[in-house]
Amino acid sequence: FISKEYHPVQSVVSKAGLGLFSSGGRVNATLMMLCRNSELDGVISSVRQIEDRFNHQHHYPWVFLNDEPFTDEFKKRVSILTQSEVKFGLIPEEDWKQPSWIDEKKAKKSRQDMKKQWVPYADNVAYRNMCRWNSGFFHKHELLLPYKYYWRIEPNVQYFCDIVNDPFQVMQRNGKTYGFTISLVEIPATVATLWEAVKEFMELYPQYIAKNNAMTFVSDNEGADYNFCHYWSNFEVADMDFYRGEAYTKFFEFLDSKGGFYYERWGDAPVHSIAVSILKTKSDVQYFRDIGYKHDNFGHCPSDGEWEKGRCSCDPQESFNKGGYSCTWGWVNLVH
Ligand code: GDP
Ligand code: MN
């Protein structure tokens, strides 16, 4: 049910004349941010960095999405940061709520149990809506439909270096599906039965499983168990046609039917990562080693020539990818 007042497009701020000269080398792509009005300061900080380090030369459009309408102040203060077109959209209510068929008693019990185990966002239903939306819905939002590639950007992240190589060009030129900067291990309690569901899916739909896939990134024993590795999805550059396609759509619908987004706390990071690892081939994933990035306490700083070329403001010795909780070693071994 969609109320009469609902419209997914809140407003579009076009910049006069820009389309005339800037579309030349541009890929069909958008910078995308899901965020709340209350995060304005962090949104401005992230947008400012992306603009200064990258987008002032490219003018890729921005799409901001929210489960509540953006305020006029939010739209005004964000729009002046860029010369690009900026679009603000509202997420359909039915894409952002616990489905009615979920057994709330069971979901609540699990939230309480997770809280006892100190799992982050243990009893947070909004967080679960967000994870499910990022897993199965964002790529179908009206404002994102015109685009093939997106770059997911979050409030309050840090971009340390000039982004010398346009990530969208890299993806398109090499026919890549999914790009990451940091990979790590998931908290097991949030995905306790996810792998059982994945195995069931693989048995039911062998036609969707890619031959030369990256199973060894997500499993250390040929698919018997999940090793909890995933690409950290707060940074993502990926091809939405993958999510819009039959294989991923079936994969998401199958996982969703298990209720694990609410009975556990399945994240969009393991869902996207497992999907691209089994439904696509090894060579469909891009490691953006040259992008200096930090979210919360984990960051990646490029080293040597890439650090110099990017004029990076981070310490080149410091990269989460070099540590024990990273899965990037496994990824590198897999492709090389
Ligand atoms: P974390 O990175 O897993 O700790 O989670 P975050 O709190 O950073 O949320 C991930 C992304 O979703 C960020 O871009 C948030 O701004 C956004 N987000 C999370 N919850 C909500 C919500 O309830 N409403 C909206 N509009 N955005 C949200
Ligand atoms: Mn975050």
Side-chain angles (χ1 to χ4, degrees), residues 39 121 127 152 154-155 157 234 293 295-296:
E39 293 174 299
Y121 306 109
Y127 191 85
R152 174 170 162 185
E154 282 199 4
V157 294
N234 47 72
Y293 175 72
H295 171 277
D296 292 344

Side-chain angles (χ1 to χ4, degrees), residues 242-295:
F242 168 59
Y243 304 126
R244 291 167 184 148
E246 188 180 312
Y248 184 86
T249 301
K250 280 274 189 300
F251 182 72
F252 171 74
E253 284 170 359
F254 185 79
L255 294 187
D256 195 33
S257 74
K258 299 289 178 186
F261 289 102
Y262 295 94
Y263 298 139
E264 293 171 12
R265 207 210 68 200
W266 294 353
D268 52 284
V271 170
H272 283 176
S273 302
I274 293 170
V276 76
S277 298
I278 65 172
L279 306 176
K280 302 295 289 185
T281 71
K282 287 177 194 181
S283 57
D284 289 320
V285 178
Q286 172 72 25
Y287 173 24
F288 286 107
R289 206 183 52 183
D290 58 341
I291 294 186
Y293 175 72
K294 190 170 184 179
H295 171 277

Side-chain angles (χ1 to χ4, degrees), residues 33-37 39 43 65-68 70 91 96 120-121 124 126-127 129-131 133-134 152-155 232 234 265 268 295-296:
M33 194 187 294
L34 168 73
C35 53
R36 293 164 277 216
N37 286 302
E39 293 174 299
V43 171
L65 296 173
N66 192 348
D67 60 313
E68 288 177 4
F70 285 112
I91 295 168
W96 189 279
Y121 306 109
N124 189 328
Y127 191 85
N129 292 337
M130 181 273 290
C131 291
W133 181 81
N134 272 316
R152 174 170 162 185
I153 293 155
E154 282 199 4
W232 216 19
N234 47 72
R265 207 210 68 200
D268 52 284
H295 171 277
D296 292 344

